[in-house]
Amino acid sequence: MGSLMDILIIGSGGREHALAIGLSDSKSVKNMHVAPGNVGTSIIAQNHDIDISNSEEILSLASGLGIDLVIVGPEAPLVEGLADCLNSSEIPCFGPISKWANLEGSKKYAKEVMEKLDIPTANYVELFEVSENHAILDKYKPPWVIKRDVLAGGKGVTVTSSKEMATSSINNAIEIDGSVLVEEFMEGEEASILVIMDESDYVCLPPSQDHKRLKDNDEGPNTGGMGAYAPAPVVTSSILRRVEEEIVQPMHSYLKNQEFPYRGCLYVGIMIDTDGAPRVVEFNVRFGDPETQVTIPLISSDIGELFFSAATGNLSKVDVNFHSYSSATVVLASNNYPSRPIIGDIISGNNVSIEEGEIRAFVHYAGTAINADGDYVSSGGRVLSATGIAPTLKEAVEASYQIINNIQLKDSQHRSDIAFRAFER
């Protein structure tokens, strides 16, 4: 990589704002563009209001701007073949081709790959017929895990101990999709490992843990994520070694030897049982949200160079280093999230940050807009998050809450116990 780069980030959420903030500190980056972006990215980059479901429209924008690297945030454009489209025009893309994007797009495909490589995961059965008496519900003990075999934006999984609800979820999925997967429930504690990889090498980023349930103590409905922290102490050095040996290395060995190798971030969601054995809950083919908000700030090496190297098959040529800090993020959600979020309410107190010695905290924007009067307003379910970075996790969490407790949004929701599992250890 010789000259400074012009970079295009695809997406509009907190994850993309986090990527943009990280890249804004990169000495290898000249100009940043985001499509479509959000109010946060507009401060540090140029937003472009285009249809990101249209690969040709993204290609046209990237070509017209002379983009050196496209970084794809959400999964849907990758499943639809955005990386394939960009690669055919010789524009480096941080994100896998559509074949590998199916590791997230199809739960069955991911299971088949794991079976082939003997990667530990939950047993499952695929069902095709609607019935009021599915035998699998007698074979597996409750709670049952029902997964639609489609890209469902994080909302395609039902976990329930109610046989009636399980039966209804199975039948609804079959009627809509033609099939459904039913998995055995895995006991344990979840964690996330974000792995940057190409054919030459892979790098595991600091392990994180997110909070999927809406309310404290992991109660309430599932969400896209109400907060996260990193590094997650549940992933000890010995567990991380097992994750690498039993999951990451077999996947990398398989993917690097394909005609079109995997280039991008492979999100490995794991369940750790009481014996410290990790099993795969799911693969995602991009950075997680809100895991990105707590992981990117911990990378001390040049992020632009890191992403470009992976997108061009040269990851082995860069050294990747990390800060010895902890980070935490607390999500502020709209009233009535996650069902039908109330939008358009005014946000105040959000223009605040902390810079106190080694402690800093700031806002990552997501479902936030600016109205005609210049006010910040809610425009989605997860509105923003407050992120803290500090020498200790306790300090990072405290800084995050110092920010979030200053922000006003009518009937908004946020958890008060982010990182509680870490403090219980």
Side-chain angles (χ1 to χ4, degrees):
M1 189 180 66
S3 56
L4 298 181
M5 293 183 290
D6 287 352
I7 286 183
L8 172 61
I9 302 170
I10 304 301
S12 60
R15 166 184 49 214
E16 288 73 36
H17 189 201
L19 291 170
I21 290 173
L23 288 160
S24 68
D25 293 329
S26 171
K27 293 179 181 178
S28 62
V29 175
K30 182 181 179 183
N31 297 305
M32 263 198 307
H33 302 266
V34 190
N38 61 32
V39 296
T41 62
S42 70
I43 299 169
I44 53 177
Q46 183 178 348
N47 286 351
H48 299 268
D49 188 15
I50 66 167
D51 178 9
I52 64 169
S53 67
N54 187 324
S55 296
E56 291 297 332
E57 200 165 330
I58 294 173
L59 175 60
S60 176
L61 177 65
S63 299
L65 293 171
I67 293 298
D68 299 296
L69 173 66
V70 175
I71 299 168
V72 186
E75 64 278 11
L78 293 168
V79 173
E80 293 300 315
L82 174 57
D84 310 61
C85 179
L86 293 167
N87 290 342
S88 66
S89 295
E90 300 185 339
I91 297 175
C93 177
F94 184 87
I97 62 169
S98 58
K99 178 179 180 180
W100 306 130
N102 274 323
L103 289 167
E104 179 170 358
S106 169
K107 300 292 189 289
K108 183 184 178 186
Y109 178 68
K111 287 288 190 183
E112 289 171 345
V113 171
M114 284 187 273
E115 285 176 336
K116 180 191 296 186
L117 302 180
D118 200 25
I119 288 173
T121 186
N123 295 319
Y124 76 102
V125 171
E126 186 177 18
L127 302 179
F128 300 92
E129 307 253 342
V130 171
S131 170
E132 293 307 312
N133 186 25
H134 292 287
I136 189 63
L137 298 181
D138 296 320
K139 178 180 177 182
Y140 291 159
K141 294 186 299 183
W144 297 283
V145 181
I146 297 100
K147 292 186 175 181
R148 293 180 61 196
D149 190 30
V150 295
L151 205 59
K155 298 182 175 127
V157 179
T158 300
V159 181
T160 180
S161 294
S162 162
K163 199 166 188 178
E164 182 180 356
M165 183 176 289
T167 301
S168 173
S169 297
I170 290 168
N171 291 343
N172 286 342
I174 291 172
E175 288 171 355
I176 295 169
D177 308 321
S179 66
V180 69
L181 304 188
V182 181
E183 285 188 5
E184 64 169 336
F185 179 78
M186 291 188 285
E187 296 276 0
E189 194 168 342
E190 283 193 63
S192 307
I193 314 289
L194 302 179
V195 186
I196 294 178
M197 67 167 62
D198 67 4
E199 61 269 39
S200 72
D201 204 356
Y202 71 84
V203 177
C204 292
L205 303 184
S208 57
Q209 189 170 60
D210 78 335
H211 297 262
K212 292 185 172 64
R213 297 283 183 173
L214 180 68
K215 299 181 179 179
D216 287 4
N217 301 313
D218 289 336
E219 296 178 355
N222 264 326
T223 70
M226 292 299 294
Y229 61 98
V234 66
V235 185
T236 62
S237 57
S238 60
I239 290 173
L240 184 57
R241 186 166 56 250
R242 288 193 64 173
V243 170
E244 286 201 51
E245 292 174 354
E246 299 172 22
I247 300 168
V248 178
Q249 289 173 3
M251 284 298 291
H252 180 249
S253 180
Y254 174 68
L255 294 168
K256 76 176 184 179
N257 288 309
Q258 304 297 319
E259 180 182 1
F260 297 101
Y262 194 106
R263 293 177 174 178
C265 177
L266 181 68
Y267 170 116
V268 184
I270 58 171
M271 184 71 73
I272 304 165
D273 68 18
T274 52
D275 295 324
R279 290 200 284 174
V280 175
V281 176
E282 64 178 350
F283 287 128
N284 292 333
V285 297
R286 36 71 189 182
F287 283 106
D289 187 342
E291 293 92 343
T292 307
Q293 288 87 312
V294 295
T295 306
I296 291 295
L298 300 184
I299 302 173
S300 60
S301 39
D302 190 296
I303 295 173
E305 182 182 29
L306 172 62
F307 291 170
F308 182 80
S309 297
T312 54
N314 293 300
L315 185 57
S316 62
K317 296 178 181 177
V318 298
D319 293 322
V320 185
N321 301 299
F322 304 99
H323 295 292
S324 57
Y325 292 138
S326 289
S327 55
T329 195
V330 183
V331 171
L332 186 76
S334 295
N335 180 24
N336 209 37
Y337 176 76
S339 58
R340 293 190 178 179
I342 305 299
I343 63 173
D345 286 331
I346 291 176
I347 306 163
S348 62
N350 53 300
N351 287 318
V352 63
S353 62
I354 297 171
E355 290 276 355
E356 297 176 358
E358 293 185 280
I359 299 173
R360 60 192 180 100
F362 51 90
V363 171
H364 280 121
Y365 287 102
T368 307
I370 296 178
N371 66 15
D373 296 323
D375 298 314
Y376 284 87
V377 295
S378 58
S379 62
R382 292 186 294 171
V383 177
L384 53 81
S385 65
T387 303
I389 301 104
T392 68
L393 180 58
K394 183 174 184 291
E395 290 170 314
V397 170
E398 287 174 351
S400 301
Y401 279 110
Q402 195 174 332
I403 295 285
I404 209 78
N405 291 331
N406 189 68
I407 298 173
Q408 304 297 315
L409 171 62
K410 183 181 177 183
D411 297 326
S412 60
Q413 311 172 78
H414 73 265
R415 285 182 59 154
S416 64
D417 65 346
I418 297 305
F420 78 92
R421 292 187 185 279
F423 298 131
E424 287 176 348
R425 306 193 77 79

